[in-house]
Each structure stands twice: as structure tokens, then as C-alpha cells.
Amino acid sequence: MTATVGAAAPAAVAQTPAAPKPPSADAFGRQPAIDGVSLSPDGKHIAALVSADGVDAHIAIWSTTAMDKPPYRIGCGQRSDCVGVDFVKNDRIAVTVRQLITVGSVKSHSFRFFTTDLEGKTWRNADGDLDQSAAASADVMDSLPKDPQNILVVIYERKSPNGSTIPDGGIYRLNLYTGSKSRIYQGSDKFFSSRMDYAKEVRARQSLEFENGNAYFVQWIRDSKGNWAEHFRWYPKEREESELIGFSRDPNIAYIRSNKGRDKAAIYEYDIDARKLGEIIFETKFFDARSAIRSGSAVDEGELLGFSYAGETSKVYWTDPALAALAKGAREALGVKTVPVQWTDIASGEKGKFSTADGFDAYISGWSDDRKYAIITKTGARQPDEYYLLTDGKLTLLGKTRPWLDTTTLGDTRLVEYPARDGLMIPGFLTTPRKEIYGAGPYPTIILPHGGPWARDYMNWDFSGWTQYFAARGYAVLQPQYRGSRGWGQKLWRAGDAEWGLKMQDDKDDGAKWLIAQGVAAPDRIAMHGYSYGGYAAMMASIRPNGIYQCAVAGAGVASLEKFRTQALGNRIQREYQRPSLAGLSPVDLVKDVSIPIFLYHGDRDTNVDEGESTRFVGGLKSAGKPYKFLSIPDMGHEANKWEAGQVAQVLTAIESYLVNDCGPGGL
């Protein structure tokens, strides 16, 4: 296989005169030049979102037999911002657009679902009969590869003003050519996570039940006689889940992901009529298994192709020989190299090793039904995504997401782990500045806890710039996967229960101390920046009298655990799921103990964590006479898909300015 290819802010530390300038905030924050690449089932066309000015995105359509010609472009017009595109038939694409909505005093975002042809002549709104104030509309449930005209969509029919939906929407058969639709399954308030079998029958769903005041989840499955029955149940406080994740081509065999009786989730076959769990069909030694990948092709629909798991990146183990060969060949052609990682298992303490990509990796992100065409994505912690078309053993560059970004000043990222004060091993991702520019350290350092907290980081390109923007300016950045992080096994996940502001906070501080001991972090130049739960952690960092941090930066943080527990979590399912773990200290109750400067920022269209959480903490700071700054960002929501390009740059420059000018004596 051969590969073919079609003004900066002040630096944090002194650079040599010949050092290249780090990329600007705009270079990180612009709309990608190309994104969301999708391949038609027959392999004849490619669709993607493209942006020439870094602000507005359009749809581009290429013919794979004429890649030397420019793509056909389709605008979204009055449908507002295009944020997603995907093929649903050979000649039809599904388009997701984002709009700003205001319902009473609540400001939010709406995501609408359209379909159109490859020239954008006929647009159809799959949820056209819904209230335009809906915060979510429809999702493709099944493209029905053997049906030439129809797809199945799930439509969320009832919404609350804050954007939450009923657990399960109705499922409709939608004709892409006439726009007609008919309901085949009625959603309800009781059930959610509906799944269909190979015959397109709803065969699985979940419910939330209560027993003596304790919440538990039930996995319902419909057997071969058409009877619904409970097959598994699990309690959130026990954290042992057994969930149906799909059906095989045999209607009596399902795939179950479970961590019951084990630390890492594995995937099993399950005999529905016999109600019997079979042997493990996929597991990994150090990481959670995630899903069974099945074919969506009309040729071999439902065939098991491989498994995904949550490694240092989101990884795939291909069982399909053709896709395994494509993946291997693409990695070789793009020059992917691997390095060994020494690892101590968090649960068992057993030591071992595995390989990880060095600098960047490449993976299959789409393929045609006949496997003759594939989309390959090249990506890494210091490698903005690049998209390639693979056909006839040849890779052709479709485009780079950020061709304007000079990567020579970006930092090096590696997977690390360190012991917390109680001995629990904490994974992390450490990004350090380029030694040839900034020397061997120690460096000014940012501790960057992720949101969630039931989430985790991956060693991928960071759209927000929170790692590489600052590494390019001489900062080391540690992303601790503190206790309570999900995706590293049960022990780490459960260890965060009721430890908000307590042991969860210790893990971040212990990471900072570990970096000092390693000679990476300058002991008098450390700050914490976090967003969402990470914003909460930054608030708590400003309160703890440990002398580690010179300042804190809190984005969209939670100030009151009680208000967040009862009001902010989007629906009853989320509230009950996290209720056993969500306990600890509330920053707003301890604001008088703030001992370092703090900068807070929040979007005014945030429906996950209301802006009032930040302003409540700011009010306490003001009353207590504590040093602070606060930035309210108009029209910014909580999640990444509710951030506009200019908002990314605004956040980066605001944080940098604060670190340089206001973070302790002399800045960070």
C-alpha cells in the first residue's frame, strides 16, 4: 500500500530567539476545514462538513471516481448551523443542524434533523410536526440497508424547557423520498434504551424501578414467543451492570456487556430463551470492553465484525479479516509506530505491558458495503485529524481539519499512572512542552481534571485546546483520571462514591505532587483548570489550604451539590444513577476559605450546569472580599457541540491572560 496526498499571546516562559511561535487561539478555535466525513454504502460518494472561513460550515459531496474534481457544495441556509452529516442511502444524507432557542427565561440550543439529496434540492424535516422549541429532535436508529426508500428514526416527542426528554421516543419508519412516516413503536415514560434485533423488531429495553427506596435498573428482553420479561437487574450503588448491547443474526442470541463479578467489563453471548449467559467472547486485561461492532451492509447485515474497548484511545479489535487487513495496511502506509507502556492494573496490582501508538494513530472510520472503499482517520494528541480515502490499496488525502496549525511547537503526550496517598493507582495523560524549545523543565503546570465525573479522557486530539494550546506556550498539563472516572474498571470508578471534594480532590493534588517529584512541575507555578465537574474541582482547589496551587480556573463548575443533585441533572434516570455517589463538599458553603485567586467562566445557554452555579459562588467571593474574575459567555452551551468556533478562542485567550497576569505573584 502506498500513501499519496492530494499573532500569538505572550509565552509563559522564555523562548530561544529561533523558536517558532506557538499557534494562536484562533488556530485552535476555528471551525475545522473538514469534519464528519461519511462514505455512501456503495462507495461512490463522500459527504463531509467543510468550512472555508473557519466560522460557517457547508456540506461537500465528492465522487470517489473523480477525486481530482472539486466537491459539490450544499448550504444549510436558514436551517442554521450544520453540525453533522451522514449517508443514510446511496443518494440521501441526514443532516443535523443547531439553532438557538429561548423558552421563557431558559436559553438553550435546538438540534433539528433533516434529510436531503446529494444536490440539496429537496430538504425534508423528519420532526417537522414537533414544537420548534424542542431541544432534541430525532436520531437515525437503523438505515434499513435492504429497504431502498425507508429508514427508522427515533423521535423524541415531549420535551421540558430545560432540554430533557422522555426516556424513550417513538420509532418511525420514514420514507426519504416522499417524507411520509408511520410509527412502529410507541415510546413511553417508563422504558428507555430500546434495541432492535436483526428482523427490525424492538426486543430489548430498560426501566428504572424502586425497592425499599433504592433505585435499580432492569433489562427487559422479549423472547421468541413475544413475551417481555426481566432478565437482569443492577443497583447503581453496586455498580455491577449487565446490559444488552445488541443482537446477533440468530434472534435468540444477544450480546451482553457486563462487569458483574469482575473489575473490567466483558462481552458475552446470551441465550434469551434459556436465560443463560454464555462464555466471554471479548475482554481485555487492563480496559473495559465497550461494544460489539456489527455490519450495516445489505450484503451481510448483522454480521459480527469486531469489538471496541476503552484503551488509552478508543480502540477496535477486528474479527473480520478484510477490515483487519485494511486497518493494518492503513497504519503501515501512514507510518504509525508503537511504543511499549509498562502498566500496573488498578484493581489487582498485577504488572504488565501493552503497546500504544507513538504520536498518532490511524483507524477505519467508514467503509463501503463491498469493502472496496474505506475512510481512514489519522489522529493523535498532537495530530489534528486528517481524513483519507482508501481504495485499491491507495490512500488519498481528503483533507486536514486544521491545515493552518503549525504542530512543531505542540507538546508530547503520554499515558502515565501515579500512586495516590492511599496507594490507589491513578491513570493520567501528561503533555509536556517540546524540550528543544523550552528545555527539560521543570515547567509551569496545569492540572486539568475532566468533567463528568463519570467520564474519562482519551489520548486524542483535544478540540478545546486546553492541552496543546498551553503546552505550546511552555506549560505541562496533567489530565488525572481520578477516582470516580469511568472506563478504567470498577475499582477506580466506585472509589469516587461520596468523595466529591475529598479523596477525589486528593487525587488531583497527589498528581501535582508527583509531577514535582518527577522534576516536571515547578513547585511554585502550578494551577488547576477544569470544566463542568472539573470546574467544581477547581473551585475546591481554591478552598483547600494546601499551598499547591497559585490560582484556579473554573469553567461551568458546580457550586452546590444539593442544587445540582435535585435540579441540574437532566432527568430522573441520571439523578437516580448518580445519586449514591454524588456526595461530599459544596464549594459555595466554604467560600470564606478561598485562599488563592480564581477565575470563573460560564456559558449563558448552559442547561447542564446552570450559570447560576458560577454566579452563586461569585456572590460568595464578593461578599468575602476574595480575589476573583468572572466571564459570562453569550450563547455558549455546556457540551462541545454547543460551542461555536469563536467561543473556543475566547476561552483560551481569557485563561491565558489570567494565568499570565493574575495567577499568584508574577503570574504562572
Side-chain angles (χ1 to χ4, degrees):
M1 180 183 291
T2 60
T4 62
V5 295
V13 296
Q15 302 181 51
T16 62
K21 291 183 178 180
S24 67
D26 181 65
F28 283 90
R30 294 182 63 189
Q31 184 84 7
I34 183 172
D35 199 16
V37 177
S38 177
L39 181 66
S40 64
D42 60 9
K44 293 182 178 180
H45 292 93
I46 297 169
L49 295 179
V50 297
S51 178
D53 60 4
V55 177
D56 296 319
H58 298 83
I59 300 166
I61 305 291
W62 287 266
S63 170
T64 55
T65 59
M67 293 301 296
D68 56 329
K69 297 181 179 180
Y72 186 86
R73 296 183 182 250
I74 303 171
C76 286
Q78 295 182 350
R79 284 167 289 271
S80 195
D81 295 335
C82 287
V83 294
V85 60
D86 196 18
F87 274 97
V88 287
K89 298 294 180 187
N90 289 323
D91 61 347
R92 289 294 185 273
I93 52 176
V95 181
T96 303
V97 303
R98 179 184 62 208
Q99 300 169 337
L100 301 179
I101 60 171
T102 301
V103 181
S105 62
V106 178
K107 297 190 292 185
S108 184
H109 294 78
S110 171
F111 291 88
R112 313 297 297 181
F113 177 83
F114 295 88
T115 63
T116 187
D117 57 87
L118 302 191
E119 294 182 349
K121 292 181 178 179
T122 303
W123 288 76
R124 299 190 184 280
N125 186 356
D127 53 9
D129 56 348
L130 297 184
D131 188 332
Q132 291 297 309
S133 66
S137 55
D139 294 308
V140 177
M141 189 168 196
D142 197 303
S143 63
L144 299 180
K146 295 179 180 179
D147 186 324
Q149 292 196 332
N150 297 284
I151 63 173
L152 296 182
V153 296
V154 54
I155 300 179
Y156 303 100
E157 301 178 40
R158 285 173 280 169
K159 324 259 178 336
S160 64
N162 73 351
S164 63
T165 67
I166 62 171
D168 215 357
I171 300 174
Y172 293 78
R173 186 180 304 274
L174 172 67
N175 188 301
L176 296 170
Y177 302 88
T178 67
S180 63
K181 61 177 180 286
S182 58
R183 186 166 60 199
I184 66 169
Y185 175 78
Q186 174 63 60
S188 76
D189 292 320
K190 178 179 175 66
F191 297 105
F192 54 94
S193 296
S194 296
R195 290 190 178 273
M196 307 183 89
D197 64 8
Y198 178 66
K200 313 306 178 187
E201 297 289 338
V202 175
R203 295 280 309 285
R205 59 194 185 188
Q206 294 180 29
S207 66
L208 176 67
E209 313 285 350
F210 291 88
E211 182 179 68
N212 298 324
N214 294 317
Y216 64 92
F217 289 88
V218 177
Q219 178 67 68
W220 300 87
I221 306 176
R222 189 157 57 91
D223 62 23
S224 60
K225 296 180 181 179
N227 300 316
W228 286 100
E230 174 186 332
H231 282 248
F232 307 103
R233 69 169 58 179
W234 67 93
Y235 291 81
K237 64 181 181 180
E238 295 176 357
R239 217 59 53 78
E240 289 193 330
E241 304 174 326
S242 294
E243 179 185 10
L244 187 148
I245 58 173
F247 290 89
S248 75
R249 291 169 69 97
D250 181 339
N252 188 52
I253 300 298
Y255 300 120
I256 303 293
R257 180 181 60 229
S258 178
N259 61 4
K260 187 174 179 61
R262 52 187 292 123
D263 185 67
K264 312 295 189 302
I267 297 176
Y268 302 77
E269 280 192 348
Y270 182 70
D271 187 311
I272 297 170
D273 287 343
R275 303 173 70 92
K276 182 179 180 181
L277 200 66
E279 298 296 321
I280 293 174
I281 58 174
F282 181 74
E283 64 178 333
T284 68
K285 186 174 183 179
F286 296 124
F287 304 109
D288 282 340
R290 296 179 63 186
S291 67
I293 302 172
R294 292 162 299 148
S295 173
S297 163
V299 178
D300 57 355
E301 185 182 9
E303 195 72 34
L304 184 64
L305 303 178
F307 303 93
S308 69
Y309 63 99
E312 72 283 7
T313 62
S314 183
K315 292 192 166 184
V316 172
Y317 175 80
W318 295 108
T319 57
D320 178 78
L323 290 172
L326 284 178
K328 181 181 178 181
R331 297 180 87 220
E332 291 175 350
L334 290 172
V336 174
K337 298 179 180 179
T338 61
V339 293
V341 175
Q342 303 292 331
W343 197 249
T344 301
D345 183 64
I346 299 168
S348 66
E350 181 182 353
K351 297 185 182 299
K353 67 170 59 176
F354 58 90
S355 295
T356 186
D358 185 14
F360 65 88
D361 207 341
Y363 64 91
I364 303 172
S365 51
W367 58 89
S368 60
D369 288 352
D370 59 10
R371 311 287 201 274
K372 292 182 179 179
Y373 297 87
I375 301 298
I376 306 298
T377 302
K378 176 182 176 181
T379 185
R382 59 173 301 174
Q383 171 64 63
D385 292 0
E386 298 178 359
Y387 297 101
Y388 294 82
L389 172 65
L390 171 61
T391 181
D392 296 327
K394 179 181 177 182
L395 280 172
T396 302
L397 179 66
L398 292 172
K400 301 180 179 183
T401 55
R402 302 192 175 278
W404 54 79
L405 196 150
D406 181 2
T407 62
T408 59
T409 62
L410 302 186
D412 297 309
T413 302
R414 65 183 186 274
L415 177 65
V416 299
E417 59 180 350
Y418 60 88
R421 63 192 67 183
D422 62 358
L424 183 68
M425 295 303 294
I426 307 298
F429 297 100
L430 175 61
T431 302
T432 51
R434 301 298 296 271
K435 290 182 179 180
E436 56 268 35
I437 301 175
Y438 295 103
Y443 310 105
T445 297
I446 300 170
I447 306 299
L448 181 65
H450 61 73
W454 286 6
R456 54 158 294 175
D457 293 306
Y458 290 91
M459 203 159 66
N460 298 330
W461 177 252
D462 171 22
F463 95 97
S464 69
W466 292 339
T467 52
Q468 290 293 359
Y469 178 82
F470 290 100
R473 283 155 172 77
Y475 294 91
V477 182
L478 176 68
Q479 298 167 274
Q481 308 303 289
Y482 50 84
R483 68 193 70 202
S485 298
R486 189 173 185 180
W488 302 92
Q490 273 210 71
K491 184 171 184 177
L492 187 71
W493 185 19
R494 296 178 65 167
D497 287 3
E499 293 289 349
W500 285 55
L502 302 169
K503 290 182 180 180
M504 292 171 74
Q505 202 72 23
D506 291 343
D507 294 344
K508 291 100 171 170
D509 297 351
D510 293 344
K513 293 176 180 177
W514 177 75
L515 289 178
I516 293 171
Q518 298 293 312
V520 174
D524 60 344
R525 303 186 71 189
I526 304 177
M528 183 181 290
H529 166 225
Y531 186 83
S532 194
Y533 165 84
Y536 161 88
M539 292 181 189
M540 287 304 305
S542 73
I543 291 166
R544 283 193 153 196
N546 53 25
I548 294 178
Y549 307 104
Q550 279 59 61
C551 71
V553 179
V558 175
S560 169
L561 295 193
E562 183 59 31
K563 286 187 178 295
F564 183 68
R565 183 188 297 112
T566 58
Q567 298 177 13
L569 288 175
N571 57 49
R572 178 170 57 96
I573 296 168
Q574 291 178 331
R575 284 193 293 273
E576 294 302 332
Y577 201 24
Q578 294 206 28
R579 186 183 295 277
S581 71
L582 210 167
L585 304 178
S586 288
V588 72
D589 297 335
L590 303 168
V591 69
K592 65 181 187 304
D593 296 326
V594 168
S595 58
I596 57 175
I598 183 169
F599 169 49
L600 302 99
Y601 65 93
H602 214 126
D604 73 352
R605 288 186 181 270
D606 192 331
T607 56
N608 287 44
V609 180
D610 187 80
E611 190 179 20
E613 290 291 301
S614 286
T615 57
R616 192 174 297 114
F617 193 70
V618 165
L621 291 167
K622 186 175 181 179
S623 297
K626 304 294 183 178
Y628 74 91
K629 285 190 175 182
F630 175 61
L631 174 64
S632 176
I633 303 177
D635 293 336
M636 189 172 86
H638 193 82
E639 304 95 325
N641 64 353
K642 296 176 183 176
W643 282 41
E644 299 173 359
Q647 292 166 346
V648 172
Q650 184 179 5
V651 169
L652 291 175
T653 54
I655 295 173
E656 183 187 13
S657 175
Y658 188 78
L659 294 179
V660 170
N661 299 308
D662 299 285
C663 186
L668 196 67

